[in-house]
Amino acid sequence: DIQMTQSPSSLSASVGDRVTITCRASQSISSYLNWYQQKPGKAPKLLIYTASSLQSGVPSRFSGSGSGTDFTLTISSLQPEDFAAYFCQQSYSAPLFTFGQGTKLEIK
Amino acid sequence: QVQLQQSGPGLVKPSQTLSLTCAISGDSVSSNSAAWSWIRQSPSRGLEWLGRTSYRSKWYNDYAVSVKSRITINPDTSKNQFSLQLNSVTPEDTAVYYCARYLSAVKTFDIWGQGTMVTVSS
């Protein structure tokens, strides 16, 4: 299986900060990398697909980049509603999908 | 607007079968451009993809190696839904279970059900 490793596992930041979360794959996955946001008690919500495409309805302060093994999710200016957990997920080895362990973004 | 609505019991006894259903609105379980998955989440395992069903002129099922001997996912075209059965459950199967739509064109899970917390306990 392709292992997905996110860093950091948790992060404290303030409203207005620029935040970057990293996801590394154990082998090249081209651009088949998706990012999700999850709030407590809710299902994951798709933010970014194929590494850099913004899902419809998602604010433009979210962006994704990368290819191969290294990927980043950037939030340009944190808003109060952005404090949540974030997960990456690879589709390169479909249907053997795997997820990162998550990054918890907390208010400083 | 596509929505997935999950149903099923929240408590299952050890060694019994976990059964959940996911009703689809706004799309079809027989869609040629989607696949219908079950994913679970627990503190110990994180998010874990379990399996999927899809229709491409005929029905296909794919399952994760970790549950392959115990899992069945079935489509129900008459009710436009799909189901999960996980046999011989243990406390390690305690998790929140989600159904999700996978869009083949963009290779992503774009729609998720609301989640069902399933506890395996006597």
Side-chain angles (χ1 to χ4, degrees), chain B residues 7-20:
Chain B
S7 59
L11 181 63
V12 182
K13 289 181 166 45
S15 79
Q16 294 194 344
T17 297
L18 181 160
S19 297
L20 297 173

Side-chain angles (χ1 to χ4, degrees), chain B residues 49-120:
Chain B
W49 176 82
L50 298 176
R52 70 178 184 181
T53 190
S54 57
Y55 185 76
R56 302 289 185 270
S57 302
K58 68 175 187 177
W59 289 102
Y60 293 89
N61 289 323
D62 299 292
Y63 300 127
V65 171
S66 60
V67 294
K68 194 167 187 176
S69 62
R70 301 192 290 132
I71 190 173
T72 303
I73 295 176
N74 282 322
D76 182 341
T77 57
S78 66
K79 296 181 179 179
N80 200 32
Q81 63 186 30
F82 62 108
S83 63
L84 167 69
Q85 287 194 307
L86 188 65
N87 303 325
S88 305
V89 297
T90 72
E92 286 199 350
D93 294 310
T94 294
V96 178
Y97 286 75
Y98 295 100
C99 58
R101 182 178 78 167
Y102 178 81
L103 276 186
S104 303
V106 290
K107 300 189 183 302
T108 191
F109 297 102
D110 70 324
I111 305 293
W112 295 63
Q114 80 274 22
T116 302
M117 177 67 214
V118 178
T119 301
V120 178

Side-chain angles (χ1 to χ4, degrees), chain A residues 34 36 38 42-43 46 91 95, chain B residues 41 49 98 102 107-109 113:
Chain A
N34 306 305
Y36 303 86
Q38 187 179 32
K42 300 294 187 181
L46 178 64
S91 296
Chain B
Q41 184 175 29
W49 176 82
Y98 295 100
Y102 178 81
K107 300 189 183 302
T108 191
F109 297 102

Side-chain angles (χ1 to χ4, degrees), chain A residues 24-87:
Chain A
R24 175 164 288 176
S26 60
Q27 67 181 72
S28 176
I29 58 170
S30 185
S31 295
Y32 297 123
L33 190 282
N34 306 305
W35 289 99
Y36 303 86
Q37 177 193 67
Q38 187 179 32
K39 296 183 178 179
K42 300 294 187 181
K45 171 190 172 185
L46 178 64
L47 297 177
I48 302 285
Y49 60 93
T50 54
S52 60
S53 297
L54 191 67
Q55 172 70 348
S56 175
V58 174
S60 59
R61 63 181 179 272
F62 291 92
S63 64
S65 65
S67 66
T69 60
D70 295 317
F71 301 86
T72 59
L73 172 69
T74 299
I75 310 172
S76 61
S77 178
L78 273 175
Q79 299 302 300
E81 61 269 28
D82 299 338
F83 293 94
Y86 293 85
F87 296 90

